[in-house]
Amino acid sequence: MNIPKSISLAKKIDNYIENLCIPNNDILQFTLKNSKKNNLPPIHISPVIANFLSMQVSITKAKKVLEIGTLGGYSTLWLALALPLQGEIVTIEYNQEYASVAYENFRHAKKENMITLLVGDAKEILPTLSPSFDLIFIDANKEDYAIYFDHALRLAKKETLIICDNVIRNGGVLQKKPKKEYYKILADFNKKITTNLQIQTTILPITVPLPGRDYIDGISISRVL
Ligand code: DHB
Ligand code: MG
């Protein structure tokens, strides 16, 4: 992506919010260190956004959470820490190596009993799941978001929240002639979720404070009516 220098103010603001709002947590720090040690790409959600997700779990009193795209399990563990003891998370990861690291991280956090990690193509796994989930977080390959979202709707019930990462891509979705094919796919996805009368949707602009390439993205939040 083309990252303008001016965005570093957004990174400073993100750091500022992180310092104010995010307490140190050894379990979550271990997850990031272990993911880095195993060369996973550092594309997990930021602590500020993870804290936001965690608050959605608490506010909605969610008990069952579905996640599509586990990576090293950083977001999964934030979600798990917000759930009650009898809570459950199903998380789907395509990449076997990422899934192995995630499982190590779940064990280290002593949350492996609460988390069902399914490895494989979500397009094949999702049809095997049954309703219902209270909160669904989509953060996987962007090309298939529409398919994942349709499954999410099938697996939801009234008041389920469906949250999707990366729906703005540094403004890529605004481009008239999209520089990447998936920007157009995401722009169509945003139209799809904002015109569906079954749900109420908003999109929040967010800063992604990746090392050396921070940029503006967005997270969509849809509430099933
Ligand atoms: C990137 C960021 C993400 O949050 C993601 O899910 C996939 C890729 C990235 O910036 O490359
Ligand atoms: Mg993401």
Side-chain angles (χ1 to χ4, degrees), residues 22-68:
I22 313 296
N24 270 336
N25 180 310
D26 289 345
I27 288 173
L28 295 166
Q29 281 310 114
F30 174 89
T31 294
L32 291 185
K33 270 197 214 123
N34 195 36
S35 297
K36 192 170 178 187
K37 194 180 104 192
N38 285 282
N39 298 316
L40 266 56
I43 55 172
H44 53 84
I45 54 170
S46 69
V48 171
I49 297 305
N51 190 40
F52 173 79
L53 278 189
S54 153
M55 288 178 71
Q56 302 312 304
V57 170
S58 304
I59 292 164
T60 59
K61 300 189 171 63
K63 294 200 173 62
K64 270 190 81 179
V65 171
L66 171 64
E67 178 180 62
I68 306 168

Short mmCIF file of all heavy atoms in Angstrom, two decimals, residues 22-68:
data_model
loop_
_atom_site.label_atom_id
_atom_site.label_comp_id
_atom_site.label_asym_id
_atom_site.label_seq_id
_atom_site.Cartn_x
_atom_site.Cartn_y
_atom_site.Cartn_z
N ILE A 22 -4.80 0.64 27.86
CA ILE A 22 -4.51 -0.80 27.80
C ILE A 22 -3.55 -1.20 28.92
O ILE A 22 -2.36 -0.84 28.88
CB ILE A 22 -3.90 -1.18 26.42
CG1 ILE A 22 -4.70 -0.56 25.27
CG2 ILE A 22 -3.78 -2.70 26.30
CD1 ILE A 22 -6.12 -1.05 25.12
N PRO A 23 -4.03 -1.94 29.90
CA PRO A 23 -3.13 -2.38 30.96
C PRO A 23 -2.17 -3.45 30.44
O PRO A 23 -2.47 -4.13 29.46
CB PRO A 23 -4.09 -2.98 32.01
CG PRO A 23 -5.35 -3.27 31.27
CD PRO A 23 -5.40 -2.42 30.06
N ASN A 24 -1.01 -3.58 31.08
CA ASN A 24 -0.09 -4.66 30.70
C ASN A 24 -0.72 -6.00 31.00
O ASN A 24 -1.35 -6.18 32.03
CB ASN A 24 1.21 -4.53 31.50
CG ASN A 24 2.22 -3.66 30.76
OD1 ASN A 24 2.14 -3.56 29.53
ND2 ASN A 24 3.12 -3.06 31.49
N ASN A 25 -0.57 -6.91 30.09
CA ASN A 25 -1.13 -8.24 30.31
C ASN A 25 -0.10 -9.26 29.78
O ASN A 25 0.15 -9.33 28.57
CB ASN A 25 -2.47 -8.37 29.58
CG ASN A 25 -3.10 -9.73 29.77
OD1 ASN A 25 -2.45 -10.75 29.59
ND2 ASN A 25 -4.36 -9.75 30.16
N ASP A 26 0.51 -10.01 30.69
CA ASP A 26 1.60 -10.92 30.32
C ASP A 26 1.15 -11.96 29.31
O ASP A 26 1.90 -12.35 28.41
CB ASP A 26 2.15 -11.63 31.56
CG ASP A 26 2.92 -10.66 32.44
OD1 ASP A 26 3.25 -9.56 31.94
OD2 ASP A 26 3.16 -10.98 33.63
N ILE A 27 -0.09 -12.45 29.46
CA ILE A 27 -0.59 -13.48 28.55
C ILE A 27 -0.66 -12.95 27.12
O ILE A 27 -0.22 -13.59 26.16
CB ILE A 27 -1.99 -13.95 29.02
CG1 ILE A 27 -1.84 -14.79 30.29
CG2 ILE A 27 -2.72 -14.73 27.94
CD1 ILE A 27 -3.18 -15.15 30.92
N LEU A 28 -1.20 -11.74 26.99
CA LEU A 28 -1.34 -11.16 25.65
C LEU A 28 0.03 -10.77 25.08
O LEU A 28 0.28 -10.93 23.89
CB LEU A 28 -2.28 -9.96 25.71
CG LEU A 28 -3.72 -10.33 26.09
CD1 LEU A 28 -4.53 -9.11 26.48
CD2 LEU A 28 -4.41 -11.08 24.95
N GLN A 29 0.94 -10.31 25.95
CA GLN A 29 2.29 -9.97 25.50
C GLN A 29 3.01 -11.22 25.00
O GLN A 29 3.70 -11.19 23.98
CB GLN A 29 3.11 -9.34 26.65
CG GLN A 29 2.79 -7.88 26.90
CD GLN A 29 2.83 -7.04 25.63
OE1 GLN A 29 1.82 -6.53 25.19
NE2 GLN A 29 3.99 -6.94 25.00
N PHE A 30 2.82 -12.32 25.73
CA PHE A 30 3.45 -13.59 25.31
C PHE A 30 2.96 -13.97 23.91
O PHE A 30 3.74 -14.39 23.05
CB PHE A 30 3.13 -14.71 26.31
CG PHE A 30 3.63 -16.06 25.85
CD1 PHE A 30 4.91 -16.49 26.18
CD2 PHE A 30 2.83 -16.89 25.06
CE1 PHE A 30 5.39 -17.72 25.72
CE2 PHE A 30 3.30 -18.12 24.61
CZ PHE A 30 4.58 -18.54 24.94
N THR A 31 1.65 -13.83 23.70
CA THR A 31 1.06 -14.18 22.40
C THR A 31 1.73 -13.41 21.26
O THR A 31 2.07 -13.99 20.22
CB THR A 31 -0.45 -13.91 22.44
OG1 THR A 31 -1.01 -14.80 23.39
CG2 THR A 31 -1.12 -14.11 21.12
N LEU A 32 1.95 -12.12 21.47
CA LEU A 32 2.58 -11.31 20.42
C LEU A 32 4.04 -11.71 20.22
O LEU A 32 4.52 -11.84 19.10
CB LEU A 32 2.48 -9.82 20.76
CG LEU A 32 1.07 -9.21 20.70
CD1 LEU A 32 1.13 -7.72 20.92
CD2 LEU A 32 0.40 -9.52 19.36
N LYS A 33 4.75 -11.94 21.35
CA LYS A 33 6.18 -12.31 21.26
C LYS A 33 6.33 -13.67 20.57
O LYS A 33 7.18 -13.85 19.71
CB LYS A 33 6.79 -12.40 22.67
CG LYS A 33 7.38 -11.09 23.13
CD LYS A 33 8.32 -11.29 24.32
CE LYS A 33 8.24 -10.11 25.25
NZ LYS A 33 7.88 -10.43 26.62
N ASN A 34 5.48 -14.62 20.96
CA ASN A 34 5.57 -15.96 20.40
C ASN A 34 5.19 -15.95 18.91
O ASN A 34 5.76 -16.69 18.11
CB ASN A 34 4.65 -16.90 21.19
CG ASN A 34 4.94 -18.36 20.90
OD1 ASN A 34 6.10 -18.73 20.70
ND2 ASN A 34 3.90 -19.17 20.83
N SER A 35 4.22 -15.10 18.54
CA SER A 35 3.83 -14.99 17.13
C SER A 35 4.99 -14.41 16.32
O SER A 35 5.29 -14.88 15.21
CB SER A 35 2.60 -14.10 16.99
OG SER A 35 1.51 -14.68 17.67
N LYS A 36 5.67 -13.42 16.89
CA LYS A 36 6.81 -12.79 16.20
C LYS A 36 7.95 -13.79 16.06
O LYS A 36 8.55 -13.93 14.99
CB LYS A 36 7.26 -11.57 17.02
CG LYS A 36 8.21 -10.69 16.29
CD LYS A 36 8.44 -9.39 17.04
CE LYS A 36 9.45 -8.54 16.26
NZ LYS A 36 9.84 -7.35 16.98
N LYS A 37 8.22 -14.51 17.16
CA LYS A 37 9.29 -15.52 17.16
C LYS A 37 9.06 -16.56 16.06
O LYS A 37 10.00 -17.07 15.46
CB LYS A 37 9.31 -16.20 18.54
CG LYS A 37 10.56 -17.01 18.81
CD LYS A 37 10.52 -17.67 20.17
CE LYS A 37 10.23 -19.14 20.03
NZ LYS A 37 9.89 -19.79 21.30
N ASN A 38 7.81 -16.87 15.81
CA ASN A 38 7.47 -17.88 14.80
C ASN A 38 7.19 -17.27 13.41
O ASN A 38 6.60 -17.93 12.55
CB ASN A 38 6.27 -18.70 15.26
CG ASN A 38 6.67 -19.69 16.34
OD1 ASN A 38 7.24 -20.73 16.05
ND2 ASN A 38 6.43 -19.35 17.61
N ASN A 39 7.61 -15.99 13.28
CA ASN A 39 7.52 -15.31 11.97
C ASN A 39 6.11 -15.17 11.41
O ASN A 39 5.92 -15.16 10.19
CB ASN A 39 8.40 -16.01 10.93
CG ASN A 39 9.85 -15.98 11.33
OD1 ASN A 39 10.33 -14.94 11.78
ND2 ASN A 39 10.52 -17.12 11.25
N LEU A 40 5.11 -15.07 12.27
CA LEU A 40 3.77 -14.76 11.76
C LEU A 40 3.77 -13.30 11.32
O LEU A 40 4.44 -12.47 11.94
CB LEU A 40 2.72 -14.98 12.86
CG LEU A 40 2.04 -16.35 12.87
CD1 LEU A 40 3.06 -17.47 12.97
CD2 LEU A 40 1.03 -16.45 13.99
N PRO A 41 3.01 -12.95 10.28
CA PRO A 41 2.96 -11.54 9.89
C PRO A 41 2.32 -10.71 11.00
O PRO A 41 1.38 -11.18 11.64
CB PRO A 41 2.08 -11.55 8.62
CG PRO A 41 1.34 -12.84 8.66
CD PRO A 41 2.17 -13.81 9.45
N PRO A 42 2.84 -9.48 11.25
CA PRO A 42 2.34 -8.69 12.39
C PRO A 42 1.06 -7.94 12.04
O PRO A 42 0.97 -6.72 12.21
CB PRO A 42 3.50 -7.72 12.66
CG PRO A 42 4.11 -7.51 11.31
CD PRO A 42 3.91 -8.78 10.52
N ILE A 43 0.06 -8.65 11.55
CA ILE A 43 -1.15 -8.00 11.06
C ILE A 43 -2.36 -8.24 11.97
O ILE A 43 -3.50 -8.09 11.56
CB ILE A 43 -1.48 -8.45 9.61
CG1 ILE A 43 -1.58 -9.98 9.53
CG2 ILE A 43 -0.44 -7.93 8.63
CD1 ILE A 43 -2.08 -10.50 8.18
N HIS A 44 -2.06 -8.61 13.22
CA HIS A 44 -3.12 -8.76 14.22
C HIS A 44 -3.77 -7.40 14.50
O HIS A 44 -3.17 -6.35 14.24
CB HIS A 44 -2.52 -9.32 15.52
CG HIS A 44 -1.35 -8.50 16.00
ND1 HIS A 44 -1.53 -7.36 16.76
CD2 HIS A 44 -0.02 -8.60 15.77
CE1 HIS A 44 -0.35 -6.82 16.99
NE2 HIS A 44 0.59 -7.55 16.41
N ILE A 45 -4.96 -7.41 15.05
CA ILE A 45 -5.60 -6.14 15.41
C ILE A 45 -4.78 -5.44 16.50
O ILE A 45 -4.05 -6.08 17.26
CB ILE A 45 -7.06 -6.33 15.90
CG1 ILE A 45 -7.16 -7.35 17.05
CG2 ILE A 45 -7.98 -6.69 14.75
CD1 ILE A 45 -8.52 -7.38 17.70
N SER A 46 -4.91 -4.12 16.56
CA SER A 46 -4.15 -3.34 17.55
C SER A 46 -4.75 -3.57 18.94
O SER A 46 -5.93 -3.92 19.07
CB SER A 46 -4.22 -1.86 17.19
OG SER A 46 -5.53 -1.39 17.39
N PRO A 47 -3.97 -3.32 19.99
CA PRO A 47 -4.52 -3.42 21.34
C PRO A 47 -5.75 -2.53 21.55
O PRO A 47 -6.70 -2.92 22.23
CB PRO A 47 -3.35 -2.95 22.23
CG PRO A 47 -2.13 -3.24 21.41
CD PRO A 47 -2.52 -3.05 19.98
N VAL A 48 -5.74 -1.35 20.94
CA VAL A 48 -6.88 -0.42 21.11
C VAL A 48 -8.15 -1.05 20.53
O VAL A 48 -9.23 -1.00 21.14
CB VAL A 48 -6.56 0.95 20.45
CG1 VAL A 48 -7.79 1.84 20.43
CG2 VAL A 48 -5.42 1.63 21.18
N ILE A 49 -8.03 -1.65 19.36
CA ILE A 49 -9.20 -2.29 18.73
C ILE A 49 -9.57 -3.58 19.47
O ILE A 49 -10.76 -3.90 19.63
CB ILE A 49 -8.94 -2.53 17.23
CG1 ILE A 49 -8.74 -1.20 16.51
CG2 ILE A 49 -10.08 -3.30 16.58
CD1 ILE A 49 -9.87 -0.19 16.69
N ALA A 50 -8.56 -4.30 19.95
CA ALA A 50 -8.84 -5.52 20.70
C ALA A 50 -9.63 -5.19 21.97
O ALA A 50 -10.58 -5.90 22.34
CB ALA A 50 -7.53 -6.22 21.06
N ASN A 51 -9.27 -4.09 22.60
CA ASN A 51 -9.98 -3.65 23.80
C ASN A 51 -11.43 -3.28 23.46
O ASN A 51 -12.36 -3.58 24.21
CB ASN A 51 -9.24 -2.46 24.40
CG ASN A 51 -9.75 -2.06 25.76
OD1 ASN A 51 -10.07 -2.91 26.59
ND2 ASN A 51 -9.85 -0.77 26.00
N PHE A 52 -11.60 -2.67 22.30
CA PHE A 52 -12.94 -2.34 21.82
C PHE A 52 -13.77 -3.63 21.62
O PHE A 52 -14.92 -3.71 22.07
CB PHE A 52 -12.83 -1.56 20.50
CG PHE A 52 -14.14 -1.31 19.82
CD1 PHE A 52 -14.98 -0.29 20.25
CD2 PHE A 52 -14.55 -2.09 18.74
CE1 PHE A 52 -16.21 -0.07 19.62
CE2 PHE A 52 -15.76 -1.88 18.11
CZ PHE A 52 -16.59 -0.86 18.56
N LEU A 53 -13.16 -4.64 20.98
CA LEU A 53 -13.86 -5.93 20.79
C LEU A 53 -14.23 -6.55 22.12
O LEU A 53 -15.34 -7.06 22.31
CB LEU A 53 -12.95 -6.93 20.06
CG LEU A 53 -12.83 -6.87 18.56
CD1 LEU A 53 -12.06 -8.09 18.06
CD2 LEU A 53 -14.19 -6.80 17.90
N SER A 54 -13.27 -6.51 23.03
CA SER A 54 -13.49 -7.08 24.36
C SER A 54 -14.69 -6.39 25.04
O SER A 54 -15.54 -7.06 25.66
CB SER A 54 -12.21 -6.89 25.18
OG SER A 54 -12.48 -6.81 26.53
N MET A 55 -14.79 -5.08 24.86
CA MET A 55 -15.92 -4.36 25.46
C MET A 55 -17.24 -4.75 24.80
O MET A 55 -18.28 -4.82 25.47
CB MET A 55 -15.70 -2.84 25.37
CG MET A 55 -14.64 -2.37 26.35
SD MET A 55 -14.32 -0.60 26.21
CE MET A 55 -15.81 0.06 26.93
N GLN A 56 -17.21 -5.05 23.51
CA GLN A 56 -18.45 -5.50 22.83
C GLN A 56 -18.93 -6.82 23.41
O GLN A 56 -20.12 -7.05 23.57
CB GLN A 56 -18.25 -5.64 21.31
CG GLN A 56 -17.79 -4.38 20.60
CD GLN A 56 -18.59 -3.17 20.99
OE1 GLN A 56 -19.81 -3.14 20.88
NE2 GLN A 56 -17.90 -2.15 21.47
N VAL A 57 -17.96 -7.71 23.72
CA VAL A 57 -18.32 -8.99 24.34
C VAL A 57 -18.99 -8.73 25.69
O VAL A 57 -20.05 -9.30 26.00
CB VAL A 57 -17.07 -9.89 24.52
CG1 VAL A 57 -17.39 -11.11 25.37
CG2 VAL A 57 -16.53 -10.31 23.17
N SER A 58 -18.41 -7.84 26.47
CA SER A 58 -18.95 -7.56 27.80
C SER A 58 -20.32 -6.88 27.72
O SER A 58 -21.26 -7.28 28.41
CB SER A 58 -17.99 -6.66 28.59
OG SER A 58 -16.73 -7.26 28.65
N ILE A 59 -20.43 -5.89 26.86
CA ILE A 59 -21.68 -5.11 26.78
C ILE A 59 -22.83 -6.00 26.32
O ILE A 59 -23.95 -5.89 26.82
CB ILE A 59 -21.50 -3.91 25.82
CG1 ILE A 59 -20.53 -2.89 26.41
CG2 ILE A 59 -22.85 -3.24 25.52
CD1 ILE A 59 -20.00 -1.88 25.39
N THR A 60 -22.55 -6.89 25.35
CA THR A 60 -23.62 -7.74 24.81
C THR A 60 -23.83 -8.99 25.68
O THR A 60 -24.70 -9.80 25.36
CB THR A 60 -23.31 -8.19 23.37
OG1 THR A 60 -22.07 -8.92 23.39
CG2 THR A 60 -23.19 -7.02 22.41
N LYS A 61 -23.01 -9.15 26.71
CA LYS A 61 -23.05 -10.36 27.56
C LYS A 61 -22.95 -11.62 26.71
O LYS A 61 -23.64 -12.63 26.95
CB LYS A 61 -24.33 -10.39 28.42
CG LYS A 61 -24.44 -9.18 29.35
CD LYS A 61 -25.59 -9.38 30.33
CE LYS A 61 -25.62 -8.32 31.41
NZ LYS A 61 -25.83 -6.95 30.90
N ALA A 62 -22.08 -11.57 25.70
CA ALA A 62 -21.92 -12.71 24.78
C ALA A 62 -21.39 -13.92 25.53
O ALA A 62 -20.59 -13.81 26.46
CB ALA A 62 -20.95 -12.32 23.65
N LYS A 63 -21.87 -15.09 25.10
CA LYS A 63 -21.37 -16.36 25.65
C LYS A 63 -20.71 -17.19 24.56
O LYS A 63 -19.84 -18.00 24.84
CB LYS A 63 -22.52 -17.15 26.28
CG LYS A 63 -23.11 -16.48 27.51
CD LYS A 63 -23.89 -17.46 28.37
CE LYS A 63 -24.33 -16.83 29.67
NZ LYS A 63 -25.25 -15.68 29.44
N LYS A 64 -21.20 -17.03 23.33
CA LYS A 64 -20.62 -17.80 22.22
C LYS A 64 -20.11 -16.85 21.14
O LYS A 64 -20.86 -16.02 20.62
CB LYS A 64 -21.68 -18.73 21.61
CG LYS A 64 -21.69 -20.09 22.28
CD LYS A 64 -22.57 -21.06 21.50
CE LYS A 64 -21.84 -21.64 20.32
NZ LYS A 64 -22.68 -22.60 19.58
N VAL A 65 -18.84 -17.00 20.82
CA VAL A 65 -18.20 -16.12 19.85
C VAL A 65 -17.63 -16.96 18.71
O VAL A 65 -17.10 -18.05 18.93
CB VAL A 65 -17.06 -15.32 20.54
CG1 VAL A 65 -16.23 -14.55 19.53
CG2 VAL A 65 -17.63 -14.37 21.60
N LEU A 66 -17.77 -16.45 17.50
CA LEU A 66 -17.16 -17.08 16.32
C LEU A 66 -16.16 -16.09 15.72
O LEU A 66 -16.48 -14.91 15.58
CB LEU A 66 -18.24 -17.42 15.28
CG LEU A 66 -17.76 -17.88 13.90
CD1 LEU A 66 -17.00 -19.21 14.00
CD2 LEU A 66 -18.95 -18.03 12.94
N GLU A 67 -14.98 -16.61 15.41
CA GLU A 67 -13.96 -15.78 14.76
C GLU A 67 -13.52 -16.46 13.47
O GLU A 67 -13.23 -17.65 13.47
CB GLU A 67 -12.77 -15.61 15.71
CG GLU A 67 -11.62 -14.80 15.12
CD GLU A 67 -10.46 -14.67 16.10
OE1 GLU A 67 -9.86 -15.70 16.49
OE2 GLU A 67 -10.16 -13.53 16.48
N ILE A 68 -13.42 -15.68 12.40
CA ILE A 68 -12.93 -16.23 11.13
C ILE A 68 -11.60 -15.54 10.85
O ILE A 68 -11.56 -14.32 10.61
CB ILE A 68 -13.96 -16.00 10.00
CG1 ILE A 68 -15.32 -16.57 10.42
CG2 ILE A 68 -13.48 -16.64 8.70
CD1 ILE A 68 -16.48 -16.16 9.53
#
